[in-house]
Amino acid sequence: MRQPGRSRRAILEAGFWEIYRQGFRAARVEAILSGTGLTKGALYHHFPTKTALGSAVVDDVIRPRVRDWWLEPLASAPDPIDGLLRVVRGLERDDAPEMLVGGCPVFNLLQELAGVDEPFRRNLVAVLDEWRDAIAAALARGQAAGTVRADLHPDVTAAFLISTYHGLAGTAKAHRSPTVARRLLRSFVRLIETLRAGASPGAAV
Amino acid sequence: MRQPGRSRRAILEAGFWEIYRQGFRAARVEAILSGTGLTKGALYHHFPTKTALGSAVVDDVIRPRVRDWWLEPLASAPDPIDGLLRVVRGLERDDAPEMLVGGCPVFNLLQELAGVDEPFRRNLVAVLDEWRDAIAAALARGQAAGTVRADLHPDVTAAFLISTYHGLAGTAKAHRSPTVARRLLRSFVRLIETLRAGASPGAAV
Amino acid sequence: MRQPGRSRRAILEAGFWEIYRQGFRAARVEAILSGTGLTKGALYHHFPTKTALGSAVVDDVIRPRVRDWWLEPLASAPDPIDGLLRVVRGLERDDAPEMLVGGCPVFNLLQELAGVDEPFRRNLVAVLDEWRDAIAAALARGQAAGTVRADLHPDVTAAFLISTYHGLAGTAKAHRSPTVARRLLRSFVRLIETLRAGASPGAAV
Amino acid sequence: MRQPGRSRRAILEAGFWEIYRQGFRAARVEAILSGTGLTKGALYHHFPTKTALGSAVVDDVIRPRVRDWWLEPLASAPDPIDGLLRVVRGLERDDAPEMLVGGCPVFNLLQELAGVDEPFRRNLVAVLDEWRDAIAAALARGQAAGTVRADLHPDVTAAFLISTYHGLAGTAKAHRSPTVARRLLRSFVRLIETLRAGASPGAAV
DNA sequence: ACACTCGGGACCTCCCGTTGTT
DNA sequence: AACAACGGGAGGTCCCGAGTGT
């Protein structure tokens, strides 16, 4: 019955959801385990402490998610703007209904721990940086190809886009409303459209 | 020397800062009191429970702050765009250095409690609504006066602006960096400029 | 029903016995409280931590005991040798049957914590020093009065006497036998007698 | 490369040191193993329980040590007093610097467990008895040879000597000071000298 | 109006020993 | 013979809130 490595994965997955829903500090170890059928002995074997579990969740669950949802699609898209739009529209799909009103995992943790846990914060900011770099690189490629406005700074714009995205994800979470989420996403789409070479200002907001 | 209501006020003020820094759930009652020189007897005389204190902090500290910082200046500004810009630039001043990297109190609480405490959430969303209505009203006034683009929906735009503002406030908090905050605010300013009647697209991001 | 200060005293007293019987680290907080009728809230109110309780037990229970049992009688005795003998013989009385086979509280704690908890050790060694100084002072007085051998160093002798006493207390504890205790005490008495001015060697052991 | 019994020996040795430093109850099984490169599977293959390991440490490590340090030298010494003095002086050598301020292993365990674990206590007291018998036998031999005072009871004296030795070992441990240890050992040496036939009282302490 | 005292529950951590496996 | 994984329970800490008294 022993599945080496499988238990660790189960704890990580359950830990992700408990932390996502309750926040890291309010996440209870017992609650994480209750869904897995494992006990504290198992958890303590794989992770020395709750904080270590939290870090592992960031590294082994959240970061891959960001890569799959944002970085990969962007890297493989011929045009960055189209790539961004496809990613953003993917968020509205029913695949992740909880995510639509639960906020972005990275941002949630950052908001909770930025002022309280420095190592945790650094780890999460590293995710943010990787994210921004990927978007900036895509924008630069678009500029080279002539599909993205030449007057904008790729990394400044990338940072602002992520910031804006987190703002609307957080606002949708605040309202707990998919409708609000979709409305804000539409504004976000219009903002992205203004990045296209030769865009007209009227579409901005 | 007993000043009726003075202790209540002191607790509210100290409670605000403790909650602002630690989050509501991590805020410890004893920590709130330690700065005031009072004890739990005093606190539980004025507030039946910690949650009640939290609500009072929202109503009596946070809401007035939002009014003073955003609503009043906007209401008294001749032009809404200029009014917004003045408010946004005011955020960079040294008056509130901690606020610049600590995030927006309303948004912080919302992120922490949206999924966990429904009454609290409603109370905070009410602040958000008041906020959005004030900006929407200002934009409408601007449209009537011809200084704001006529093609945008005042309330949709207002909601998006607030959302974007919270995104950048949260991002600045994540980085704990005034520099990042100011850079994002500059992008935000450019976004606001695109709302002006006859704005050019190049300034967008 | 609230007896301010009384609860603290009760916890100290119960804490002393639990620590005396189990050792400090094996002493369970619950066990300490079970005898007092109080709960953890009370303990945590009076002492911030188990270690703090331990220190308080040393300062407020053990140290006074040493003073009452050894220092006061010695200080008020006309002749130091007689004083020592009276104290030692007092140990055999039935007043403290548990003490006879449970070892000396100071020494027990010292043996447990000397290599593990430096602050604790220092605190206990301070008791030891006070103890030695009192005996040394008494011996010096005896030398001045001509009742104690002049060729011995008061503090070296005092230290050796305490050390020897702890050895026999520990040995009696090891055997859990009052008989062994009394037999060793008799040898100890003979050793003390050799300190008298003009003692004969035959009485030594 | 598997050496049968080699792992068992390594665990015993590591167990001895961990128990010596931390005490039996505070000794952690994992800590014992960490130095050996083995895991719990190995330990619980050789010993059914931690307590069994403790007993084995007493029987296979501590008891042989006592024999090597005390019993053998005494048995082979022509004169018991000289034999004792040679053993005692050997303690000051740099061979066992940790032992000088760490206390006697037998006595340490006895102090910790006398009141809590009866089988363990019996096992250790047996070591004490063997120890005392060896010294008593040596003293009796000395009396027969006329080098030891005839008026003392060999076993009472032997018991008192061991008790005194443990007292000073414990006191040195309490002070964690080799200096204190040596000073007390000097007093101990003088005490032993008084056992010689025709000794003068002045050397007593 | 406020201070001191105390109740009680929840959480993380820790650690011994067992089981399946190689 | 030994390892990795896991079970399970207990202990200290922490903290909200409820008493009582002034």
Side-chain angles (χ1 to χ4, degrees), chain A residues 107-197:
Chain A
F107 194 63
N108 285 358
L109 281 176
L110 232 11
Q111 292 312 296
E112 181 190 357
L113 300 174
V116 204
D117 190 317
E118 184 61 13
F120 224 119
R121 187 189 73 82
R122 280 184 195 280
N123 200 9
L124 287 161
V125 166
V127 179
L128 237 44
D129 289 339
E130 188 184 359
W131 194 341
R132 183 206 55 206
D133 291 344
I135 295 184
L139 289 175
R141 279 203 316 276
Q143 287 179 323
T147 61
V148 169
R149 271 173 28 207
D151 63 329
L152 48 79
H153 297 288
D155 46 345
V156 170
T157 303
F160 186 65
L161 285 178
I162 294 176
S163 153
T164 303
Y165 166 65
H166 283 150
L168 60 90
T171 304
K173 176 185 173 185
H175 287 273
R176 298 199 73 70
S177 149
T179 310
V180 168
R182 273 184 266 269
R183 197 173 315 156
L184 290 167
L185 280 172
R186 232 166 297 145
S187 295
F188 189 44
V189 164
R190 281 196 290 274
L191 177 63
I192 295 173
E193 290 285 6
T194 65
L195 306 180
R196 248 189 243 283

Side-chain angles (χ1 to χ4, degrees), chain A residues 1 3 7 15 19 24 26 41-42 64 66-67 70 90-91 101 106 112 123 134 137 149 178 189 196-198 205:
Chain A
M1 287 302 171
Q3 306 271 11
S7 296
I19 291 172
F24 176 73
V66 172
R67 286 197 180 123
W70 288 84
L91 297 170
V101 296
V106 184
E112 181 190 357
N123 200 9
R149 271 173 28 207
V189 164
R196 248 189 243 283
V205 192

Side-chain angles (χ1 to χ4, degrees), chain D residues 64-88:
Chain D
R65 260 171 197 269
V66 173
R67 289 202 177 116
D68 289 349
W69 270 90
W70 289 85
L71 310 199
E72 300 282 352
L74 262 185
S76 59
D79 177 61
I81 307 286
D82 291 336
L84 277 172
L85 292 178
R86 202 167 312 118
V87 170
V88 169

Side-chain angles (χ1 to χ4, degrees), chain D residues 3 10 12-13 58 65 67 71 82 85 106 125 141 144 153 157-160 163 165-168 185 189 197-198 205:
Chain D
Q3 297 271 9
L12 278 175
E13 208 62 43
V58 173
R65 260 171 197 269
R67 289 202 177 116
L71 310 199
D82 291 336
L85 292 178
V106 183
V125 166
R141 277 202 321 275
H153 298 287
T157 303
F160 186 65
S163 153
Y165 166 64
H166 284 151
L168 63 89
L185 280 172
V189 163
V205 190

